[in-house]
Amino acid sequence: MAAANAPIAMREALTLTSLGIAPQFVTFTHVTMESEKYICVRETSPQNSVVIVDMAMPAQPLRRPITADSALMNPNTRILALKAQIPGTTQDHLQIFNIEAKTKIKSHQMPEQVVFWKWITPKLLGLVTQTSVYHWSIEGDSEPAKMFDRTANLANNQIINYRCDPSEKWLVLIGIAPGAPERPQLVKGNMQLFSVDQQRSQALEAHAASFASFKVVGNENPSTLICFASKTTNAGQITSKLHVIELGAQPGKPGFSKKQADLFFPPDFQDDFPVAMQISQKYGLIYVITKLGLLFVYDLETAAAVYRNRISPDPIFLTAESSASGGFYAINRRGQVLHATVNDATIVPFVSSQLNNLELAVNLAKRANLPGAENLVVQRFQELFAQTKYKEAAELAAESPQGLLRTPDTVAKFQSVPVQAGQTPPLLQYFGTLLTRGKLNAYESLELSRLVVNQNKKNLLENWLAEDKLECSEELGDLVKTVDNDLALKIYIKARATPKVVAAFAERREFDKILIYSKQVGYTPDYLFLLQTILRTDPQGAVNFALMMSQMEGGCPVDYNTITDLFLQRNMIREATAFLLDVLKPNLPEHAFLQTKVLEINLVTYPNVADAILANGMFSHYDRPRVAQLCEKAGLYLRALQHYTELPDIKRVMVNTHAIEPQALVEFFGTLSREWALECMKDLLLVNLRGNLQIVVQAAKEYSEQLGVDACIKLFEQFKSYEGLYFYLGAYLSSSEDPDIHFKYIEAAARTGQIKEVERVTRESNFYDAEKTKNFLMEAKLPDARPLINVCDRFGFVPDLTHYLYTNNMLRYVVERMDGDLWDKVLQPENEYRRQLIDQVVSTALPESKSPEQVSAAVKAFMTADLPHELIELLEKIVLQNSAFSGNFNLQNLLILTAIKADPSRVMDYVNRLDNFDGPAVGEVAVEAQLFEEAFAIFKKFNLNVQAVNVLLDNIRSIERAEELHSVLKKMLFGARLPRPSCVKVWQKAREPKVDGELIFAYAKIDRLSDIEEFILMPNVANLQNVGDRLYDEELYEAAKIIYAFISNWAKLAVTLVKLKQFQGAVDAARKANSAKTWKEVCFACVDAEEFRLAQICGLNIIVQVMIGGRLERAHMGIFTELGVLYARYRPEKLMEHIKLFSTRLNIPKLIRACDEQQHWKELTYLYIQYDEFDNAATTIMNHSPDAWDHMQFKDVAVKVANVELYYKAVHFYLQEHPDLINDLLNVLALRLDHTRVVDIMRKAGQLHLVKPYMVAVQSNNVSAVNESLNELYVEEEDYERLRESVDMHDNFDQIGLAQKLEKHELLEMRRIAAYIYKKAGRWKQSIALSKKDNMYKDCMETCSQSGDRELSEDLLVYFIEQGKKECFASCLFICYDLIRADVALELAWMNNMVDFAFPYLLQFIREYTSKVDELVKDRIESQNEVRAKEKEEKDLVAQQNMYAQLLPLALPAPPGMGGPPPPMGMPGMPPMGGMGMPPMGPGPMPAYGMPPMGSY
């Protein structure tokens, strides 16, 4: 073994035989060691088993009964790989087990035998067969993948090793074979090197090989090296070599120079050969181990020999790297497990003294931070410094072992070097070298930062801190704080300068972070001081800080009361309240004092806040009597009532009803006992009867059962409050049968002027005392006699009523009432006062009336009572005297007709005195009554010559008078001997009614109907009514039709049309005439002509006329309703037409019941709609849709229903029966529907696609369920344009969920939308990764630009370089212009030959920064000018002040600033300005640090 001072230390880690492993199993085929963690031994006797030795616990091996041809433990985890040959075949069965989980991970049956296998990475097995090499991943379900075929030089070789480099792009396979015939004992080594990228192999002679990574100076990317050792014979000459070669050299970058060295075998070891090679990345050493136990150690960089010794007397067959120690493990045939490590204390002295290789010694010391080269490094540093090789000296200092030269002295040494013009200062070279090598120590970080801060290049500090190049310290934070508080805070946090961190957070008002940070680092700040500090500047921040303290684990560090007092001391009532309300939420008994306190301070200052707190009911432990008093003082009387417990207090407070909400006060009565409630109500009425009456009434009504009806009535009667009685009993009346209560209510209503209510109760109630009520009403003498009439009529007091009306001169009331029933009662024959009543009506009451309705009602009453003589008296009073109705057409007709029937002697007088009556009709009636003279006078008065002649001839039979009239007519018509046209002209000029009438008759005779139409349209004086009648009588119906239509005589037109067989026109004319007689004539004619439909219409109108006496608008609805019921039962086909025609005349509820019983659903629906019962209409339509459903009608009904559940029932209904119209319905109901519920209904039914138009229409409401459903449909339909629009405009949905779903979609545009959603959600990395995957580089760049993340943008640049996307690189520079650092962009462009592509960016950058500098210079000049102007003003002011100071007495000292020289500029102890690129201001010492102005770097 090596001596104690040898550079390599060897020790025995363990022996396998000591673990019970038989020596025969310590062989290459039975033992495997894939890493420094595990050794695996396969035993075949006494039974098949596998022994697993954990190197962390070697004394506790794990032995399992397993039969296998080979076993391998995973390098990192407890995963075991087993290989066994399938009996009778050349195939191998491979299995991988997780020992800890006791599960099989995967297995595979290889079609050929595996001759060698090895874990080449923790996740990858290398499998070597006779012909090929495979890789098998333990992840997923993949099978072994073929990598390459073995080359011919490895045929018939025993494979002893297989390796891959860390990138898995280079593979090496090593085998050994018997030596040449001339020297068979020297085993021959063969190697196959394979490039995965190039898919090419190279065959070499080598016994051992390994990959290594090495960083060449000037190349930031490490180089991949292959190291291999060979021992060959040629012509009897043995050559042993070690080769180090770079694989895959990087174009344009410095590469590793090929190295080789000899392996010196002692004479006794001429037949020995390398069996293993391990690389120590920690020390940069190559270990070559031979079969017979020799160890060769070489430097990786130079291939220089470092050490050689025999480490084992027994043959070594297996080695494994020990990455933790930088050495290796070796196993020999004796079973020893040897551990070789570098002796840190001796290797550098060994190399420098024994090998006399000072450069290698220094490099080793620098590389592995080893001791032993201190003097050499220091000496070398001084030599370089003396030779002014400052760059080399800086590199040496930067790489000095154990930071030997990283001291303040070195910094001072570089500072002392004068700067040559145009050269970078050595100090900056030094710091620059340190930065490229790694991280600066605390002193170096401070000094470099001081330089940067002085030159105002804060961005460099930010970059270095981001790259972790500076060691943070409190001093560094203090320095940076002068220029950037945020950056200083980051430094304090990294330096764990806790007090400074807390102070910085306090300055930034980030008080929540103080608590979080203090908890993380275990620091306890002065919370009370912090709270006081925050209170001065940020009251709300103080509240938040106090609340955060209250939520700390272990409780609040400051007492709640103390915190509250702090707020109150500064009169911060609102802040104190906010704090207490939050911390007192648990409502604990121990917080009673604080509950009282928060209520007290608010009742004094902000009563409305206290009211809200009490209304919330969050406290229950406070001092209620104290709070009650404060509530009363603050005017919160309701709260005071709720807290007082004594009746005097309650009564005192309650009378303040002006400040108490009435409903709340009424509810409070419910909390009192019966006696207290009545007392309080009494007090309220006593204090303010009118003002408090409604409250008392409401309370009495609300709590009538508890208080008692009698007590309440007694209370109101005590105060003679009939209004109170009226309102109180009104609510109780419907449930009471007590006659006294009903009477009291009538009395109260009468005394309060509620006449309509008195009328209603007297009419409807069956429980009042009729006699008592009648007497009261007579005494009350109400202005409306209807209540008394009701009582008298219902209970047989009609004589009393008549007497009352007469004696109280209330006949005007009878007239004004226009009530037929009342008239019937007062005009009854048995009424002893009837005559007096008639006299009063005739003489005064009716003539004074100005209302035609009143007159009409009175006349009708007299007619109904069959009082013709009294009627004549009445009409004479109205018509013949100068009244408002003297010229009334109907009244004049009625007067004459009544006289014809009752007193014919008066008819002639009336005819002569009256002018506005229906002459033809009245004349005919007079003829019928045989009053021929009167009839003749009427006809003659109205120029009805034909009728007059007929009366003379037919009735009076006076030939002389008739001939006289006839001669006049004849002379007018035929006297002139002129041609007929001339005669017509003469008639036209004459303009006499008789002439015009005869002309029309003549036109009709010769069938010139158009001339008739033309003539009547021209001005004429013909009596068209008489002409029409004459034409009708002469059966000239067409001409008569023209005349009747022109003068709107619809009755005569109707019968004329009947004669012309024009029945439809006759019905239309009859409808306009609206006369029973006309309807009869038309009806009979339609029946004769078998026009039954028209006859039916006429018949209905005849019934109407009969029922209502010619006044349709007053028709009783009973006949229409009963007819409708009959139709419903016996003629349902006519029911709908009847309902539509007379819907306003029907008793709809009754007909609804009939239709429901007879199941006429369509008609029932129509009735519900007419009755405004839209809920029932909608329900009927849906329940009986085959008969009742009509889409347009249902839409109209649906929007008017009151029950919202019917909306959703309608949705189900349309979904089941009319899915094609569901969107139309939903759009109508859109403003009333809960869209989420509709979507849920459709989703459950699986019919979302059906309502897509509806969802599109309502998506503007941004409802989550609608958005998600539409997005789902768009994805299903692959409608990416609509999906993008939806995502853009409506953001209320599960964005991440949709993005995760879309990122795996087969459609590119869908994946783009996923990236877009990630971008909107701020998940920049996911968005960029997805866009990269789809080669959507523009999207990548835009996402980076929007993210504002510099790191993402610069990573994207690197990605474009790696992918060779030069154009994308250039585009990214501009799109992410504001984020990318110029030095990074230029460095990447220069290192990757893309300067041309970066040059436009560089131009823009230079232009921008030139503009900024120009602006800064301009601002600086303006600032200096302002300073100079200000200084001049100050000097002038000082001079003026000195002038005034001279005038003061000498005993008085000059005020500060008004005498003596001005104070020196700057702080005491500071050197004059300079040292930052500026010349000193006057004579003085050199600038600080004794260094010239700094250049840029």
Side-chain angles (χ1 to χ4, degrees), residues 842-881:
V842 171
S843 61
T844 57
L846 203 58
E848 294 175 358
S849 174
K850 304 298 183 183
S851 171
E853 289 81 8
Q854 294 176 4
V855 174
S856 176
V859 170
K860 184 177 180 181
F862 275 69
M863 294 172 64
T864 304
D866 195 18
L867 299 172
H869 296 286
E870 289 80 358
L871 180 59
I872 291 174
E873 294 178 29
L874 175 63
L875 292 175
E876 283 184 343
K877 198 75 172 179
I878 296 174
V879 175
L880 297 182
Q881 296 184 8

Side-chain angles (χ1 to χ4, degrees), residues 28-29 113-118 120 126-133 148-163 172-178 187-192 206-207 275 317-318:
F28 180 75
T29 58
Q113 185 177 6
V114 178
V115 298
F116 181 83
W117 66 336
K118 184 175 179 63
I120 56 175
L127 311 176
V128 183
T129 67
Q130 291 291 353
T131 60
S132 306
V133 175
F148 59 89
D149 292 326
R150 289 170 55 173
T151 53
N153 67 325
L154 287 173
N156 300 319
N157 276 237
Q158 179 187 354
I159 305 301
I160 61 173
N161 207 349
Y162 176 57
R163 286 186 166 180
V172 63
L173 182 64
I174 303 170
I176 56 176
V187 174
K188 183 179 180 181
N190 292 300
M191 179 179 83
Q192 179 181 357
H207 292 78
V275 293
F317 62 88
L318 189 61

Side-chain angles (χ1 to χ4, degrees), residues 437-717:
R437 293 294 191 275
K439 185 175 182 179
L440 276 63
N441 60 34
Y443 182 78
E444 294 164 346
S445 301
L446 182 62
E447 291 303 316
L448 177 59
S449 300
R450 185 173 284 114
L451 296 175
V452 172
V453 168
N454 288 339
Q455 291 196 356
N456 196 24
K457 295 185 176 180
K458 184 185 67 173
N459 61 316
L460 294 176
L461 280 178
E462 294 174 348
N463 295 338
W464 292 334
L465 285 170
E467 296 168 1
D468 198 24
K469 294 290 188 181
L470 303 179
E471 181 178 336
C472 295
S473 63
E474 186 173 344
E475 294 80 5
L476 178 60
D478 294 341
L479 173 65
V480 175
K481 196 172 189 299
T482 61
V483 294
D484 191 329
N485 290 331
D486 293 342
L487 197 58
L489 176 58
K490 295 179 181 178
I491 295 172
Y492 287 141
I493 293 174
K494 288 187 177 181
R496 299 186 71 83
T498 305
K500 293 288 181 71
V501 175
V502 172
F505 280 137
E507 290 176 6
R508 295 157 60 94
R509 299 185 180 183
E510 296 177 343
F511 309 112
D512 53 336
K513 295 182 180 179
I514 292 178
L515 302 180
I516 298 172
Y517 176 77
S518 299
K519 180 180 178 181
Q520 289 175 346
V521 301
Y523 176 70
T524 305
D526 186 346
Y527 291 106
L528 190 59
F529 174 76
L530 282 173
L531 184 58
Q532 290 173 329
T533 304
I534 301 167
L535 270 173
R536 296 189 189 100
T537 58
D538 186 4
Q540 186 55 46
V543 174
N544 297 336
F545 185 70
L547 292 176
M548 286 185 283
M549 287 196 299
S550 69
Q551 297 168 5
M552 291 175 58
E553 294 182 5
C556 183
V558 182
D559 180 60
Y560 289 163
N561 193 43
T562 303
I563 295 174
T564 305
D565 289 341
L566 282 178
F567 286 113
L568 296 179
Q569 288 168 8
R570 291 165 176 79
N571 199 29
M572 297 179 179
I573 306 299
R574 297 184 186 277
E575 289 75 11
T577 303
F579 168 71
L580 287 175
L581 288 180
D582 196 280
V583 300
L584 297 180
K585 283 180 181 178
N587 193 21
L588 303 176
E590 55 265 30
H591 291 160
F593 173 75
L594 291 174
Q595 290 182 1
T596 306
K597 189 169 189 174
V598 70
L599 290 171
E600 184 174 356
I601 61 177
N602 280 284
L603 284 169
V604 174
T605 55
Y606 301 109
N608 57 329
V609 176
D611 185 43
I613 296 172
L614 291 170
N616 195 33
M618 61 186 297
F619 299 150
S620 58
H621 304 291
Y622 54 88
D623 186 348
R624 297 182 69 86
R626 171 64 177 158
V627 170
Q629 294 174 358
L630 292 172
C631 287
E632 183 178 359
K633 290 180 180 179
L636 300 178
Y637 298 113
L638 180 62
R639 302 300 175 199
L641 287 174
Q642 294 169 347
H643 287 79
Y644 275 130
T645 56
E646 298 296 329
L647 181 60
D649 295 329
I650 295 173
K651 291 168 67 176
R652 182 183 69 253
V653 174
M654 184 175 286
V655 296
N656 296 284
T657 53
H658 63 282
I660 305 176
E661 202 273 320
Q663 184 58 37
L665 186 56
V666 171
E667 293 175 358
F668 175 73
F669 273 104
T671 64
L672 300 177
S673 66
R674 177 179 181 274
E675 292 76 13
W676 282 24
L678 290 172
E679 282 292 324
C680 290
M681 293 164 69
K682 183 177 180 180
D683 265 29
L684 289 177
L685 295 177
L686 188 63
V687 170
N688 186 353
L689 175 62
R690 179 156 299 279
N692 296 334
L693 181 61
Q694 286 300 328
I695 295 175
V696 174
V697 170
Q698 192 63 30
K701 285 163 41 176
E702 191 76 22
Y703 308 107
S704 182
E705 293 184 7
Q706 297 91 321
L707 299 175
V709 177
D710 293 339
C712 292
I713 294 175
K714 183 178 180 182
L715 175 67
F716 290 119
E717 288 179 337

Side-chain angles (χ1 to χ4, degrees), residues 144 390 627 777 789 948 1092 1188 1281:
Y390 301 121
V627 170
L777 292 175
I789 294 171
F1092 298 119
E1281 292 179 350

Side-chain angles (χ1 to χ4, degrees), residues 10 43 96 242 295 365 412 416 488 706 848 935 997 1013 1015 1084 1325 1355:
M10 298 294 302
E43 298 178 327
I96 303 175
L242 171 68
L295 170 63
S416 64
Q706 297 91 321
E848 294 175 358
E1013 292 177 347
F1015 179 78
F1084 295 152
K1325 290 185 178 180
D1355 287 346

Side-chain angles (χ1 to χ4, degrees), residues 42 181 226 372 393 447-448 650 669 722 816 942 959 982-983 1048 1078 1247 1263 1402:
R42 183 173 56 87
I226 178 73
E447 291 303 316
L448 177 59
I650 295 173
F669 273 104
Y722 291 106
E816 292 171 359
F942 284 88
I959 300 298
S982 300
C983 184
S1048 301
T1078 306
Q1247 299 293 341
V1263 178
L1402 177 60

Side-chain angles (χ1 to χ4, degrees), residues 23 156-157 240 263 434 727 860 927 969 1018 1280 1308 1409 1428 1477:
N156 300 319
N157 276 237
S240 301
L263 296 173
L434 293 179
F727 288 117
K860 184 177 180 181
V927 171
L969 291 175
M1018 295 170 58
Y1280 58 84
L1308 172 62
Y1409 273 78
R1428 291 192 188 100

